[in-house]
Structure formats: structure tokens, C-alpha cells
Amino acid sequence: MIMEARKIRLLMTLRRSGITDTQVLGAIERVPREVFIPATFHDQAYEDMALPIGMGQTISQPMVVARMTQALEVTDRHKVLEIGTGSGYQAAVLAKLCRRLYTIERHKELLDIAVERLETLRVRNVTALAGDGTKGWPEQAPFERILVTAAHGGDEPPKALTDQLAVGGLLVIPMGDEKRKQRVVRYRRMDDGLEREDLWPVRFVPLLPDTQDGAQRMKASS
Ligand code: SAH
């Protein structure tokens, strides 16, 4: 089956599974997923599965990208922060929907490749940073939307992230440390605190604090 037919089949699967937001479907349709995965897996680019991208990390399953993006309710007026750039695929999808995307990845090697891909696709409204995303990006705050694409182990979301969320803004984040217990949670920042809504179960790689090693490596290569 040719790539385009596989893509249409995937879009139909997403629609049948509750992705009804036409903006989200349109963004997924316009981003070539094969650009974000290693050549050996190109055949599987439009299968609904997560795939390895190196450094022990994965590009998320299209269904998960679609659901998380739909839950984030992004418009072209929004400044959005993504934690966990990985392959850059989710970033490319968000960039189609928002005004400006800021994205942070702790593996500089992955970030550099992701940035290259976004440049190839002429995605121009993304600013990327190698570092610890749990600290957010204070210089660019507040954000109307924040999406975390790695699982956070604590009971509460990282304080830096909720502090950098605009009032009325949404944070979508997988929570839970054991894979079988992870859930996507959506927080809305209100005037007087956070409103929490549990969405659906997921399996994500963990959100890690920056290690000494990682920090040194980044310094060495900058
Ligand atoms: N959104 C990605 C998938 C991300 S996989 C995509 O579309 O391909 C999760 C990513 O989060 C991994 O690349 C991992 O290195 C990164 N990550 C984990 N902890 C992090 C942290 N504290 N700060 C920034 N990135 C982090």
C-alpha cells in the first residue's frame, strides 16, 4: 500500500476512535510522520504504534498524539510549551495549530535532529531548547497551553509548570510512575488554584530530572 493510502487509513482509525476535532485531524494529515522516524521503520510510519527513535526513547503512537492534542484545545492565539521534544513529531503537529511553540528536550542529540527536521519541513514557529523541561521556560512564560510528553512520577504536576501556566490555561500531562498505572491528566489553572480532570490510561517513557552527566554533556557540546 502506498504511503498516502496508509495515512488515510490511519486518519479514519483516529476519527472512529473519537478524534472529532477537524483542526487536529488536519494537522496530523499535513505532517509527514515518516520524516520523524528512522529509515528502517518507514514502512510503519502510518501504523498506529510507537516506534524507537534512539537514546531509548520513542515517538508516540499517533492515537496518543491525536488524543493529547485534542485534549489541549489549541488555537492560533496560543503560546504553547511542550516538554519532551523527542523526534519533533508532536511539536510539528502543535506548530500547525498554535501561534508559537516552545519545546524542551533533555537529550541534545535528539533535539538537534528534531530541529533539523522541522527546518526541512519549513516549520518556522518553533523555538527549541536542550535542558530540563521540569523547570519550564520562565523567560517565555506565561503559556496558554503546556503539554508534557513523558510520564511524571509525582502526585502533583511540577510546580514550575503550573506557575508558568496562564490563568485559564491548560496543562496536559501523563502522571504515575508505574507504566500500568499511568493516566493522562488535564489541569486548568483557575484564579484560586488548579482544577484536575483524569482522562485516559497511557504508557509513556518517564519524565526525568536532568542528571549531572546530561548537564555536562550539554555544556561540552554547546
Ligand atoms: N513528543 C515526542 C515523544 C517524546 S518521548 C515525539 O513526538 O516524538 C519523551 C521525551 O521526553 C524523550 O525524548 C525524553 O528524552 C524527554 N524527556 C524526559 N524527561 C525530560 C525532561 N525533564 N526535560 C525534557 N525532556 C525530557
Side-chain angles (χ1 to χ4, degrees), residues 162-169 187-191 193-195:
T162 50
D163 283 351
Q164 292 171 32
L165 192 59
V167 173
Y187 291 93
R188 186 184 294 275
R189 181 162 177 187
M190 314 300 277
D191 283 321
L194 293 171
E195 197 179 85

Side-chain angles (χ1 to χ4, degrees), residues 57-60 82-90 104-107 110 131-134 149-150 205-208:
Q57 306 302 322
T58 55
I59 175 173
S60 309
E82 179 198 22
I83 310 302
T85 318
S87 69
Y89 176 69
Q90 171 79 73
I104 307 177
E105 167 58 52
R106 64 189 287 277
H107 286 296
L110 291 180
D132 180 6
T134 59
T149 65
V205 296
L207 181 70
L208 300 169

Side-chain angles (χ1 to χ4, degrees), residues 5-108:
R6 291 181 189 176
K7 183 189 265 189
I8 290 165
R9 190 182 57 181
L10 174 63
L11 286 161
M12 283 169 61
T13 306
L14 297 180
R15 214 174 287 139
R16 267 202 313 270
S17 311
I19 309 304
T20 49
D21 187 326
T22 52
Q23 303 271 59
V24 172
L25 289 167
I28 290 173
E29 188 172 0
R30 285 180 293 147
V31 178
R33 190 166 180 260
E34 67 274 18
V35 169
F36 295 89
I37 60 180
T40 26
F41 299 110
H42 274 186
D43 263 12
Q44 283 138 281
Y46 294 101
E47 298 299 321
D48 189 22
M49 56 201 290
L51 295 166
I53 56 169
M55 314 289 300
Q57 306 302 322
T58 55
I59 175 173
S60 309
Q61 188 186 339
M63 185 71 72
V64 173
V65 171
R67 282 182 170 168
M68 303 262 283
T69 308
Q70 181 164 276
L72 206 60
E73 298 177 2
V74 181
T75 77
D76 58 9
R77 297 185 306 277
H78 291 155
K79 191 161 136 180
V80 181
L81 175 66
E82 179 198 22
I83 310 302
T85 318
S87 69
Y89 176 69
Q90 171 79 73
V93 171
L94 287 172
K96 295 265 182 245
L97 300 167
C98 71
R99 177 161 60 83
R100 175 130 223 121
L101 177 73
Y102 294 84
T103 183
I104 307 177
E105 167 58 52
R106 64 189 287 277
H107 286 296
K108 189 173 188 317

Side-chain angles (χ1 to χ4, degrees), residues 124-135:
R124 301 193 204 283
N125 57 337
V126 177
T127 311
L129 178 75
D132 180 6
T134 59
K135 300 191 175 77

